[in-house]
Amino acid sequence: MGPGPSNPYPEVMEAFNRPVLGHLDPEFISLLDETNDRLREVWQTNNALTFPISATGSAGMETSFVNFITPGDDVVIGVNGVFGNRMCEVATRAGATVTRVEEDWGRTIDPQRLLDAHPNPSIIALVHAETSTGVRNDIAELGANKGDSLLLVDCVTSLAGIPVLIDEWNVDIAYSGTQKCLGVPPGLSPLTVSHRAMERLVETPQSWYLDLNMIKEYVSGDGARAYHHTAPISMLYALHAGLGVVLSEGLEQTLGRHQSCGDELHSRLPELGFELWAQEGYRLPELTTVSIPEGLDDVKSRQHLLDRYGIEIGGGLGPVAGKVWRIGCMGHTARMRNVTLLLGALEELTNAGH
Ligand code: PLP
């Protein structure tokens, strides 16, 4: 139960046994197309350009910025944790003039503050589910009031864990990661781009590998596909299978399973002396943060949980290192039996005073 599932869906691990096809083999291309269709369902979008980038979530972040920033562009970014900060670094390297809208870690960012930060930025960017704090940032109001700006959202820890409504919320660019609520190992970054954003695609982005002008010739559309890079075939089998699990369970049901586990943790942890740390009303069901109770040693206690119960708890990052724990309950791990095991283990831990 770390901040990402170390325990993918069993169907996903089975998919790694499939024979490895060539990346332009028609059979593989139709699997890629089906994967993209499945992604559209999970993203709740009709965006034509919807596919997984062949690298981790950070590459999705970089793709989202480098393809839509011309040096000197004004970009507004919400920062209330590690990943908002990373967005600022990526956008700055791409040549943007970044306006940071800061909020205390553990608190949500008021969308109006982002809208008021600049009269007409080219991009407004925000992390939907801040994995470093367990806080949700709301998106819908930004989509409704963004004006000419493109709305760019990090959905690494939200996709398939809490509702993500790309079309309804008017999101233009969004990326995710496979290793969180999708229950697949790390290695791919699902991306979706609106038609409106595609019209503003930079002609020669500052990255060759992540250039959507070329990648789109390989990953989308009918007819012949042009080689761009050798797709990581087995990882795509895994994602295809993971999305299959989510959709055959039903997206609503998958989200409901994450929500019930989160609700149970949020109601029971305080009874055990673990105070919930994230702002009330904005707590993620898939990633719960708690203050470490006095008397418990951060590192030793987490090591004990790992050795004795096989439960991995994430430590705090940056300014909250040593102060909070991050309890991931996502993907295949989001089961009530795991919640029960964790609560029992924490009770034992506090009684023993580790
Ligand atoms: N964004 C968020 C919200 C994340 O939680 C992470 C990773 O945990 C990333 C971006 C970066 O993803 P990756 O580590 O897969 O590159």
Side-chain angles (χ1 to χ4, degrees):
M1 299 178 87
S6 43
N7 193 10
Y9 290 116
E11 293 86 338
V12 166
M13 298 318 286
E14 272 165 37
F16 281 110
N17 292 326
R18 292 179 71 158
V20 177
L21 293 165
H23 68 279
L24 288 170
D25 185 313
E27 204 182 314
F28 176 71
I29 292 291
S30 65
L31 180 131
L32 178 60
D33 285 343
E34 198 169 86
T35 304
N36 297 343
D37 285 342
R38 290 180 180 186
L39 278 175
R40 280 183 201 96
E41 274 191 64
V42 175
W43 282 117
Q44 307 202 45
T45 184
N46 291 315
N47 285 344
L49 194 69
T50 301
F51 73 99
I53 295 280
S54 301
T56 66
S58 305
M61 185 188 289
E62 199 145 336
T63 305
S64 302
F65 284 106
V66 295
N67 281 280
F68 302 97
I69 288 176
T70 305
D73 279 359
D74 290 309
V75 172
V76 170
I77 302 179
V79 183
N80 57 347
V82 167
F83 296 103
N85 198 47
R86 186 176 299 183
M87 277 183 156
C88 295
E89 288 180 22
V90 171
T92 303
R93 286 197 196 194
T97 303
V98 173
T99 303
R100 296 166 66 102
V101 176
E102 308 254 4
E103 184 48 89
D104 289 345
W105 287 35
R107 299 195 64 79
T108 195
I109 301 183
D110 176 357
Q112 195 57 46
R113 289 190 53 218
L114 288 158
L115 295 166
D116 292 344
H118 190 284
N120 189 22
S122 64
I123 297 176
I124 301 173
L126 190 60
V127 177
H128 188 203
E130 234 321 331
T131 326
S132 58
T133 64
V135 165
R136 187 188 76 243
N137 287 315
D138 282 339
I139 307 299
E141 198 178 323
L142 293 174
N145 298 292
K146 67 187 174 183
D148 260 358
S149 312
L150 295 176
L151 176 58
L152 190 170
V153 182
D154 176 315
C155 298
V156 169
T157 297
S158 58
L159 190 63
I162 54 175
V164 174
L165 307 168
I166 294 296
D167 288 358
E168 195 178 314
W169 293 344
N170 270 313
V171 175
D172 293 290
I173 308 159
Y175 58 89
S176 186
T178 41
Q179 73 271 29
K180 306 286 189 199
C181 305
L182 290 169
V184 175
L188 293 173
S189 177
L191 178 87
T192 188
V193 181
S194 72
H195 179 69
R196 182 169 173 267
M198 286 306 281
E199 289 182 336
R200 300 201 209 167
L201 190 56
V202 170
E203 210 172 306
T204 315
Q206 292 175 47
S207 165
W208 184 92
Y209 187 63
L210 302 175
D211 182 349
L212 287 175
N213 296 286
M214 287 188 279
I215 298 178
K216 73 178 181 350
E217 305 297 321
Y218 173 60
V219 297
S220 66
D222 304 320
R225 303 294 180 89
Y227 165 77
H228 171 266
H229 68 288
T230 311
I233 308 293
S234 303
M235 267 312 295
L236 281 152
Y237 292 159
L239 176 58
H240 178 263
L243 292 164
V245 172
V246 169
L247 294 173
S248 54
E249 179 178 2
L251 184 56
E252 285 301 308
Q253 285 74 8
T254 305
L255 299 178
R257 178 160 55 77
H258 283 82
Q259 190 63 51
S260 329
C261 288
D263 288 347
E264 181 71 5
L265 282 171
H266 297 171
S267 79
R268 298 285 310 282
L269 282 165
E271 294 167 11
L272 296 174
F274 292 85
E275 199 187 311
L276 301 176
W277 185 69
Q279 184 179 345
E280 197 171 357
Y282 296 91
R283 292 173 183 149
L284 297 170
E286 68 275 36
L287 198 290
T288 300
T289 45
V290 290
S291 305
I292 307 172
E294 252 175 64
L296 285 192
D297 181 273
D298 174 23
V299 176
K300 276 196 209 146
S301 300
R302 288 190 292 116
Q303 190 62 45
H304 180 77
L305 290 172
L306 187 59
D307 294 343
R308 191 168 161 93
Y309 297 99
I311 296 173
E312 188 194 353
I313 299 286
L317 299 175
V320 290
K323 296 188 183 128
V324 303
W325 282 349
R326 295 176 305 132
I327 302 168
C329 188
M330 52 182 81
H332 185 51
T333 307
R335 313 268 169 206
M336 213 45 101
R337 62 172 179 266
N338 291 331
V339 171
T340 306
L341 176 67
L342 173 71
L343 293 169
L346 289 177
E347 191 166 7
E348 185 250 14
L349 191 73
T350 44
N351 288 340
H354 275 276

